């Protein structure tokens, strides 16, 4: 094991920056010290993590390292196991059997494994001598629980770190707007890594206008993918939509296949020959004809990862193409197996959803292609711009980790300011413009939001309850928006209305809501009111 207390001597400035960051945080290992490390993709944030974890382990304490996706754990494990060995690491995630989780908990509690690694639930492991918490890719929405209790791992980590008197290190190339604002305001320590590790350059980014392109792939993207394979390099093609086609429409009468229990269209999955709902799991075999008029002219509209994989296999018949999305990663060990095919060079092209957009490090990936950058741009959510910028920047960062790389982003809106900032790879400009909009409309970080979702199977009853809740809260003197139907108005047979309260302090709001809901609304039969403090999604 190499000595982690001294960085290797190199000329490149990124190593100097890393050393300064490491030493600054190291001096505060025995105090509550929240810090953000903002570093461009590939800047070597993990090297700083490893130095800090080494110090904590040698001091006889434990470190919790959070990653946003289970798919990232194999690579993260290898980075720390190379220094500490596999026996020093406990993996905690929701896919573990209860017996395996209990066994890991016993080892952690006894101090046999000083490193705890996993998604947000790993934060709650029974550590006896916790000395450090690291949250990698801290901006990710997966750190917020979508079900009760609706906690955000970042907020819980702040609370634990404060109670324990230990550092909390947040890392990202695209920090959450609230986190970056807190760092720039001096509320938490701020560190920046401006260059890629070992002097590598960021990939070049180009926007491709698809208005004059036939099909799903631009001519330039096809050419570039071919060139990479012939030169011995690999490509990643990204689209944040799984399945074969997200819309099925009858050409004869225009009928759209919708989920009967959710207000969303069914997605066609070619491998299973089924129409599926990605929200409730409803599934039917491909009917072969329109359910309304009986005609067999069904049109498959839109593109998902499954369709991309098939079209690529027809374009590049001799290429090895692998796909990574939720549909193909259900089996145990499937994540690691797919990643190994890419890492070993066996695969020429990796197709995937947001599972491949962050944290992955492949030596031979020279090209990243974003097939459709417009999917998330126009979501009815004030965070849609932030989410799009982060996602595209993160996936672009998979290119050129060891060799000069390039990124091609296909879009029908190349003039959009979010895409321009991605092309420029300029988070500071994005932050300033987005912050200006947040300030103008009084959104976080300038206020806190509490979202109330009223749901039930009887639409009129849901609407009436939402209106009554509106009046009660109006009398209490709170500023809010709504009530209106949720963008996803119906999920799992439940109609949904929501309203938002804005406040500088949420504790008084929560206290009022607890009293009001327990005295009145919890007694309404078949109506449920969900309270979400600091929501990350408005859908």
């Amino acid at each position: 094991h190499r000595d982690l207390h001294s960085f290797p001597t190199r000329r490149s400035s990124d190593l100097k920056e890393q050393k300064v960051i490491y030493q600054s945080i190291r001096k505060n290992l025995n105090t509550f010290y929240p810090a953000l490390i903002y570093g461009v993709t590939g800047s070597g944030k993990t090297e700083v993590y490893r130095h800090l974890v080494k110090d904590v382990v040698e001091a006889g304490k434990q470190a919790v390292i959070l990653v946003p996706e289970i798919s990232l754990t194999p690579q993260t494990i290898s980075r720390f196991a190379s220094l500490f060995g596999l026996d020093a690491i406990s993996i905690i995630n929701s896919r573990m059997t209860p017996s395996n989780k209990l066994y890991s908990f016993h080892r952690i509690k006894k101090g046999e494994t000083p490193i705890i690694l996993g998604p947000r639930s790993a934060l709650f492991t029974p550590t006896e001598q916790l000395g450090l918490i690291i949250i990698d890719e801290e901006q990710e929405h997966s750190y917020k629980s979508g079900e009760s209790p609706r906690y955000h791992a970042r907020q819980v980590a702040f609370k634990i770190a404060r109670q324990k008197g230990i550092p909390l290190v947040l890392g990202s190339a695209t920090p959450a707007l609230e986190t970056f604002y807190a760092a720039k305001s001096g509320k938490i320590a701020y560190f920046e890594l401006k260059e890629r590790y070992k002097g590598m350059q960021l990939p070049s980014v180009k926007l491709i206008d698809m208005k004059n392109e036939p099909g799903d792939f631009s001519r330039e993207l096809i050419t570039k993918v071919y060139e990479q394979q012939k030169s011995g390099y690999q490509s990643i093609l990204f689209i944040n939509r799984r399945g074969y086609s997200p819309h099925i429409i009858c050409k004869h009468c225009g009928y759209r296949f919708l989920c009967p229990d959710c207000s969303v269209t069914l997605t066609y999955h070619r491998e299973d020959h089924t129409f599926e709902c990605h929200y409730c799991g409803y599934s039917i075999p491909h009917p072969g004809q329109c359910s309304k008029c009986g005609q067999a002219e069904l049109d498959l509209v839109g593109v998902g990862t499954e369709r991309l994989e098939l079209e690529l296999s027809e374009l590049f018949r001799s290429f090895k193409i692998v796909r990574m999305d939720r549909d193909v990663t259900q089996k145990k060990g499937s994540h690691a197996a797919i990643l190994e095919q890419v890492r070993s060079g066996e695969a020429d092209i990796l197709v995937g959803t947001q599972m491949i957009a962050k944290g992955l490090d492949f030596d031979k990936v020279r090209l990243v292609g974003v097939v459709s950058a417009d999917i998330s741009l126009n979501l009815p959510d004030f965070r849609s711009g932030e989410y799009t910028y982060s996602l595209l920047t993160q996936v672009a960062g998979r290119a050129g980790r060891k060799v000069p790389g390039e990124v091609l982003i296909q879009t029908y809106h190349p003039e959009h300011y979010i895409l321009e900032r991605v092309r420029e790879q300029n988070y500071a400009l994005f932050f300033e413009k987005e912050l200006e909009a947040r300030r103008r409309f009084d959104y976080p970080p300038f206020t806190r939001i509490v979202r109330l979702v009223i749901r039930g199977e009887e639409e009129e009853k849901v609407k009436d309850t939402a209106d009554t809740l509106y009046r009660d809260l109006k009398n209490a003197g709170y500023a809010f928006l709504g009530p209106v139907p949720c963008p996803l108005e119906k999920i799992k047979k439940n109609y949904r209305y929501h309203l938002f309260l804005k406040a500088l302090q949420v504790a008084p709001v929560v206290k009022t809501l607890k009293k009001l809901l327990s005295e009145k609304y919890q007694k309404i039969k078949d109506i449920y009111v969900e309270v979400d403090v600091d929501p990350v999604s408005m859908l």
Side-chain angles (χ1 to χ4, degrees):
H1 296 170
R2 63 188 171 117
D3 179 10
L4 286 181
H5 295 296
S6 59
F7 281 76
T9 302
R10 294 181 184 271
R11 291 185 179 179
S12 54
S13 62
D14 58 322
L15 292 176
K16 295 177 183 177
E17 292 171 349
Q18 286 178 332
K19 188 172 182 178
V20 169
I21 294 171
Y22 160 66
Q23 291 177 339
S24 297
I25 299 175
R26 184 188 180 196
K27 287 187 291 188
N28 293 278
L29 282 181
N30 296 314
T31 59
F32 172 58
Y33 188 73
L36 169 66
I37 303 177
Y38 162 59
V40 297
T41 55
S43 59
K45 293 181 288 292
T46 304
E47 286 300 305
V48 179
Y49 302 160
R50 298 205 309 172
H51 281 67
L52 293 170
V53 170
K54 175 72 171 176
D55 286 339
V56 168
V57 171
E58 288 185 345
K61 296 183 179 181
Q62 296 170 303
V64 170
I65 305 165
L66 299 189
V67 293
E69 299 273 358
I70 293 176
S71 61
L72 295 179
T73 53
Q75 182 162 294
T76 309
I77 291 169
S78 66
R79 287 171 173 171
F80 286 92
S82 64
L83 292 171
F84 308 106
L86 280 173
D87 288 343
I89 303 173
S90 280
I91 312 301
I92 303 295
N93 61 57
S94 59
R95 293 187 180 181
M96 298 175 69
T97 63
S99 59
N100 284 342
K101 189 173 288 188
L102 182 61
Y103 173 73
S104 294
F105 278 3
H106 278 306
R107 294 191 68 210
I108 293 166
K109 192 171 181 63
K110 291 178 182 178
E112 295 176 2
T113 53
I115 302 173
I116 299 95
L117 174 65
R120 62 175 183 261
S121 60
L123 195 59
F124 298 101
T125 51
T127 54
E128 293 292 322
Q129 294 291 328
L130 186 60
L132 175 68
I133 301 173
I134 295 172
I135 304 182
D136 195 27
E137 308 294 357
E138 65 84 30
Q139 82 287 349
E140 284 299 320
H141 288 184
S142 57
Y143 284 125
K144 176 69 181 283
S145 171
E147 299 177 353
S148 185
R150 288 178 174 80
Y151 69 93
H152 197 299
R154 186 173 58 229
Q155 293 176 334
V156 175
F158 264 93
K159 185 77 171 179
I160 293 173
R162 189 185 299 274
Q163 288 178 340
K164 299 282 187 180
I166 61 174
L168 167 62
V169 178
L170 310 172
S172 178
T174 55
L177 208 77
E178 292 90 334
T179 304
F180 199 73
Y181 181 74
K184 285 295 189 178
S185 303
K187 295 178 181 178
I188 63 176
Y190 174 71
F191 302 101
E192 185 174 347
L193 291 169
K194 300 177 182 178
E195 298 180 17
R196 279 194 154 183
Y197 187 50
K198 297 182 180 178
M200 287 304 302
Q201 296 298 309
L202 286 168
S204 63
V205 179
K206 181 178 181 180
L207 303 178
I208 298 179
D209 192 341
M210 292 297 289
K211 289 191 282 289
N212 296 317
E213 296 284 351
D216 300 319
F217 303 110
S218 63
R219 286 157 289 194
E220 184 172 358
L221 181 58
I222 293 172
T223 301
K224 293 289 186 181
V225 170
Y226 180 81
E227 289 175 352
Q228 299 314 314
Q229 197 272 349
K230 293 306 176 186
S231 301
Y233 293 103
Q234 298 165 300
S235 302
I236 287 178
L237 296 186
F238 165 81
I239 186 168
N240 202 24
R241 183 181 279 155
R242 61 190 176 96
Y244 185 86
S245 179
H247 303 283
I248 306 102
I249 301 174
C250 175
K251 291 182 179 179
H252 185 73
C253 71
Y255 175 79
R256 299 166 66 225
F257 283 79
L258 302 174
C259 174
D261 300 328
C262 307
S263 54
V264 297
T265 57
L266 296 176
T267 297
Y268 175 53
H269 287 254
R270 189 172 184 272
E271 290 180 359
D272 301 326
H273 207 49
T274 57
F275 294 170
E276 297 180 11
C277 174
H278 288 172
Y279 285 88
C280 71
Y282 173 83
S283 177
I284 58 172
H286 190 308
Q289 61 184 29
C290 177
S291 302
K292 184 177 180 181
C293 69
Q295 296 293 319
E297 298 180 79
L298 300 183
D299 194 14
L300 302 175
V301 180
V303 183
T305 49
E306 191 182 13
R307 186 168 187 166
L308 283 187
E309 182 185 26
L310 179 64
E311 291 183 358
L312 286 168
S313 65
E314 292 173 351
L315 277 171
F316 307 106
R317 295 185 182 275
S318 62
F319 290 17
K320 172 69 175 176
I321 302 165
V322 294
R323 172 163 56 99
M324 192 169 183
D325 56 29
R326 192 183 302 175
D327 297 323
V328 296
T329 54
Q330 296 299 315
K331 293 181 180 179
K332 185 177 181 180
S334 55
H335 287 104
I338 294 170
L339 296 178
E340 182 55 33
Q341 288 186 72
V342 182
R343 189 169 293 109
S344 67
E346 179 185 347
D348 298 304
I349 304 173
L350 172 63
V351 176
T353 58
Q354 63 180 354
M355 296 175 72
I356 66 171
K358 50 195 138 340
L360 300 178
D361 192 350
F362 301 118
D363 291 355
K364 290 189 174 182
V365 171
R366 197 171 181 176
L367 173 70
V368 165
V370 177
V371 176
S372 177
D374 305 323
I375 292 175
S376 59
L377 268 179
N378 298 311
L379 290 175
D381 190 325
F382 75 91
R383 298 186 195 273
S384 63
E386 178 183 7
Y387 176 72
T388 300
Y389 179 89
S390 175
L391 187 61
L392 295 183
T393 300
Q394 292 286 346
V395 73
R398 300 317 104 204
R401 310 288 282 204
K402 295 294 187 296
V403 290
E406 56 184 323
V407 180
L408 300 179
I409 298 178
Q410 299 186 159
T411 174
Y412 288 93
H413 305 283
E415 72 288 347
H416 198 289
Y417 85 93
I418 293 290
L419 300 183
E420 278 295 316
R421 298 295 87 79
V422 173
R423 182 184 63 79
E424 296 167 354
Q425 302 180 77
N426 193 327
Y427 180 84
L429 279 179
F430 158 77
F431 171 77
E432 289 300 328
K433 186 171 180 63
E434 194 71 11
L435 195 69
E436 179 187 335
R438 298 280 185 93
R439 184 184 286 109
R440 187 165 64 249
F441 295 107
D442 199 23
Y443 278 121
F446 302 104
T447 189
R448 302 280 296 278
I449 290 179
V450 178
R451 183 190 187 210
L452 302 177
V453 178
I454 304 92
R455 62 179 176 86
E457 295 189 13
E458 298 179 35
E459 185 175 9
E460 280 302 313
K461 195 172 182 179
V462 171
K463 184 179 183 302
D464 291 343
T465 304
D467 290 337
T468 304
L469 182 57
Y470 162 82
R471 289 191 292 270
D472 287 340
L473 291 171
K474 186 177 181 180
N475 292 335
Y478 289 111
F480 52 87
L481 302 172
V484 293
C486 295
L488 294 174
E489 188 172 353
K490 185 181 178 185
I491 293 180
K492 297 180 180 179
K493 298 182 180 180
N494 278 254
Y495 291 93
R496 307 163 70 240
Y497 275 65
H498 63 175
L499 55 87
F500 310 94
L501 286 80
K502 292 181 178 181
L504 293 177
Q505 300 292 330
V506 296
V509 178
V510 172
K511 184 178 180 180
T512 300
L513 285 172
K514 279 184 177 180
K515 186 174 186 298
L516 180 62
L517 295 179
S518 63
E519 291 178 353
K520 184 174 182 178
Y521 291 89
Q522 289 178 0
K523 299 176 182 179
I524 303 176
K525 187 179 180 181
D526 300 326
I527 291 291
Y528 306 90
V529 181
E530 301 170 354
V531 180
D532 189 359
V533 178
D534 300 321
V536 297
S537 173
M538 299 296 189
L539 302 182

